[in-house]
């Protein structure tokens, strides 16, 4: 969540890098396996797409196959016009 490296996490919690890596892997398997995944992870259906996105030909071709935001919210973001070209086709 914070973007810290495993080395920083190990130093913060006074554990070895091996211990941090081992428990991170365990948690990763727990979150991606049943029953946690099927209970807490759901993909939005076509009806949950906001009408502003669905009915606008400017947005819909780009968002047609998008899964959605992690928590289901969509945040409108637009960079300033002077630097907009820097953000075209970026990941």
């Amino acid at each position: 969540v914070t973007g810290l490296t495993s080395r920083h996490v190990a130093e913060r919690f006074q554990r070895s890098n091996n211990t941090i890596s081992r428990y991170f892997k365990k948690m990763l398997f727990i979150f991606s396996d049943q029953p946690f995944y099927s209970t807490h992870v759901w993909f939005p259906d076509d009806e949950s797409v906001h009408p502003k996105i669905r009915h606008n030909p400017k947005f819909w071709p780009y968002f047609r196959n998008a899964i959605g935001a992690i928590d289901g919210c969509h945040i409108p973001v637009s960079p300033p016009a002077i630097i907009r070209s820097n953000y075209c086709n970026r990941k």
Side-chain angles (χ1 to χ4, degrees), residues 58-69:
K58 181 179 174 185
F59 298 132
W60 185 242
Y62 303 105
F63 289 97
R64 181 187 348 256
N65 297 323
I67 295 173

Side-chain angles (χ1 to χ4, degrees), residues 5-89:
T5 63
S6 60
R7 182 177 292 169
H8 285 103
V9 174
E11 185 176 331
R12 166 65 176 90
F13 293 105
Q14 297 296 303
R15 299 287 185 257
S16 70
N17 289 340
N18 186 28
T19 302
I20 297 299
S21 178
R22 188 172 3 139
Y23 280 99
F24 177 80
K25 189 174 181 179
K26 283 183 182 184
M27 295 304 293
L28 188 64
F29 283 124
I30 288 170
F31 290 144
S32 63
D33 203 9
Q34 305 297 339
F36 184 88
Y37 188 82
S38 62
T39 305
H40 298 287
V41 177
W42 58 274
F43 295 108
D45 52 3
D46 285 340
E47 290 79 34
S48 64
V49 177
H50 195 278
K52 184 176 180 181
I53 294 173
R54 178 178 270 303
H55 301 300
N56 190 335
K58 181 179 174 185
F59 298 132
W60 185 242
Y62 303 105
F63 289 97
R64 181 187 348 256
N65 297 323
I67 295 173
I70 292 174
D71 61 355
C73 68
H74 294 276
I75 302 168
V77 176
S78 179
I82 194 161
I83 61 170
R84 193 166 293 154
S85 63
N86 296 343
Y87 293 93
C88 289
N89 298 324

